[in-house]
Amino acid sequence: MDDKKVRVRYAPSPTGFLHIGNAQSALFNYLFAKHFGGTMVLRIEDTDTKRNVPHGEDSQIENLHWLGIDWDEGPDKPNPKYAPYHQTQRVSLYHKYIQQLLDKGFAYKDYTTEDELKVMRDEQRKNGEAPHYDGRWYGRSEEDQKAAEKQGLKPDVRLHLPSNHIYAWDDIVKGNVQFNSDNMGGDFIIEKSNGMPTYNFAVVIDDYLMDITHVLRGDDHIANTPKQIAVYEALGITPPRFGHITLIYNPKTGKKLSKRDKETLQFISQYKNQGYLSEAIFNFIAFLGWSPVGEKELYSKDELIKAYDPDRMSKSPAFFDQHKLDWMNSQYIKNADVADLTDRIMDLIKEGESEIAKKLQDVNLPNLREFIKHVTKVYQREVYKLTDIMEKVYFFANVDSETFDYSQFDDFSPVVVRLILMQFRRELLDASEKGDIDFDTIIRSVGNATGIKGRELYFPLNVTFTGNTNAPQVGSILKLYSISTIINLVDKALTGTEVKS
Ligand code: GLU
């Protein structure tokens, strides 16, 4: 790394929720800053005012925080040396540099109308050329400009590109990349006729004035980089180092993940609402476009900061692997503290952003938190997502009104099933009379009294009390029910096993 203190930035446009692709850029900038003891800056690129959405910025910030990404400087933590952090508040700075370029003749005003541009492009296409701006206003006289102004035309400002000039850089991810100025679409706009700078101009001024040393962003920006280098060259400034992170691809279509891929959750808020843990998402995204040495896959944030190595960023596409994500999440849930998981589930219910969270808001239990904690303890090794636990909570809270499929008893002799259930009923009532109920003891003593053991004993009980042959700890689950509910379930199951004549 260079001697200069590392300063990186994540620069979202507040055009919507935090997408996994943006989160990936934010995360790698965060890892880069933390790994090298540098500074991470949050800058809001809001000059495309038509595309900004209300609360877009708040939602970005909220979701980044949820994910565990924080910054050292930004709109909420301004450093007076570099503030403000919204591009719309920096417009006068851009004007200063635009003027400099105009004065030096590196930039010029372009009065071409939309209609003229269209004719130009159509003609180029007809001639088999790639559409480009043909430079028709470069070097034009003041009289021409005045005449255009008189007609009420408002100019864009374009940067003039020297011909057959190579813009090259040593990309942190991709290695050597270069573009020839002849293939960059011609002189490009740096300030629109409404006085707003374009992204490719504002980003250069901001990165320069904010002392950014490394620019890490999605590789959809790769064709913007030579334009930005052209601005740096025109201003006589040394560019920062660039790194273009591989995009995320849908393995089914083989194409870049698109918002139209409805089956894949893509917004960070969706992962949260569906019961993914932020630590798992952080870990998962860190592996999209980067990999550590070795086979280990579960990395905490601190371990990632330590292990991060920009030389191990991947040049090839990162495929979104839903199974891997679910597996990772299940591992994090399995290893998490029960009280912590319970708090997270309580928060999800309060926020009510998923169907199951909404349903649980209407569940009336005297101690919902304890109930959830209990279910979490029983199921944390069995599930992929917190919402799976929430489904179980809902199910157990409403077990009285559930209808179970008693044909699952068919694998066993009805005589055996009935024997177990009747013995269970008896033992439960006895224990209840004595005021000493321990369900595991009751089940054990049913086994002893009937001589039925293992699968033959447990499967019928599992079906009776959970509707499913596979219940991790039926003795624990029973603690969630009232005695009358348990008796009711036993009686329903007994009716379900009646030998039909
Ligand atoms: N506002 C740009 C984006 O959201 C930032 C690109 C960059 O990092 O330069 O894609």
Side-chain angles (χ1 to χ4, degrees), residues 381-393:
R381 295 175 178 281
E382 316 281 320
V383 297
Y384 290 109
K385 298 177 289 183
L386 293 179
T387 42
D388 298 338
I389 297 178
M390 291 157 75
E391 296 284 355
K392 299 278 181 205
V393 169

Side-chain angles (χ1 to χ4, degrees), residues 9-15 22 25 29 43-46 60 87 199 203 207 215-218 220-221 224 228:
R9 84 297 193 281
Y10 168 60
S13 303
T15 54
N22 299 122
S25 294
N29 277 289
R43 184 171 73 222
I44 307 293
E45 303 206 324
D46 56 351
Q60 286 264 344
Q87 286 190 327
Y199 155 72
V203 74
D207 287 340
V215 168
L216 280 173
R217 58 185 168 212
D220 47 340
H221 282 290
N224 285 322
Q228 294 173 20

Side-chain angles (χ1 to χ4, degrees), residues 427-459:
E427 302 257 356
L428 174 65
L429 292 177
D430 277 358
S432 161
E433 230 161 69
K434 286 190 207 126
D436 176 23
I437 301 179
D438 179 76
F439 293 107
D440 288 321
T441 312
I442 294 176
I443 295 171
R444 234 176 289 121
S445 94
V446 170
N448 290 337
T450 57
I452 301 163
K453 300 245 139 38
R455 185 175 171 273
E456 248 199 327
L457 173 65
Y458 276 94
F459 275 28

Side-chain angles (χ1 to χ4, degrees), residues 123-286:
E123 230 149 72
Q124 289 164 343
R125 270 191 213 102
K126 235 189 293 163
N127 298 335
E129 293 170 43
H132 59 275
Y133 177 74
D134 62 5
R136 62 180 62 183
W137 274 89
Y138 179 59
R140 290 276 282 270
S141 66
E142 258 188 49
E143 285 82 70
D144 284 355
Q145 294 186 23
K146 277 199 188 120
E149 295 273 345
K150 244 200 194 130
Q151 285 177 46
L153 296 177
K154 290 247 172 297
D156 294 320
V157 177
R158 289 184 187 261
L159 186 81
H160 178 62
L161 292 176
S163 68
N164 194 23
H165 182 77
I166 300 295
Y167 295 108
W169 72 95
D170 176 17
D171 196 278
I172 298 170
V173 183
K174 315 262 175 202
N176 282 325
V177 185
Q178 61 177 53
F179 283 77
N180 187 307
S181 60
D182 291 348
N183 304 322
M184 283 165 48
D187 297 346
F188 61 93
I189 299 177
I190 54 176
E191 184 183 281
K192 287 175 272 184
S193 56
N194 66 4
M196 276 294 177
T198 56
Y199 155 72
N200 276 320
F201 186 75
V203 74
V204 167
I205 302 305
D206 290 338
D207 287 340
Y208 166 58
L209 293 179
M210 292 183 175
D211 287 334
I212 298 301
T213 55
H214 299 79
V215 168
L216 280 173
R217 58 185 168 212
D219 76 11
D220 47 340
H221 282 290
I222 211 154
N224 285 322
T225 302
K227 294 185 178 173
Q228 294 173 20
I229 295 176
V231 177
Y232 282 108
E233 284 188 8
L235 290 169
I237 304 169
T238 313
R241 279 210 65 190
F242 296 100
H244 291 87
I245 308 164
T246 180
L247 299 181
I248 305 167
Y249 284 69
N250 180 339
K252 287 200 193 115
T253 59
K255 292 198 193 118
K256 195 185 127 183
L257 203 58
S258 116
K259 289 177 192 158
R260 278 172 306 236
D261 296 335
K262 292 277 179 247
E263 288 161 47
T264 314
L265 300 183
Q266 297 186 35
F267 293 101
I268 298 303
S269 51
Q270 290 175 312
Y271 295 114
K272 175 182 175 212
N273 298 335
Q274 290 308 311
Y276 289 91
L277 303 195
S278 54
E279 299 91 322
I281 300 290
F282 194 104
N283 192 160
F284 177 73
I285 296 177

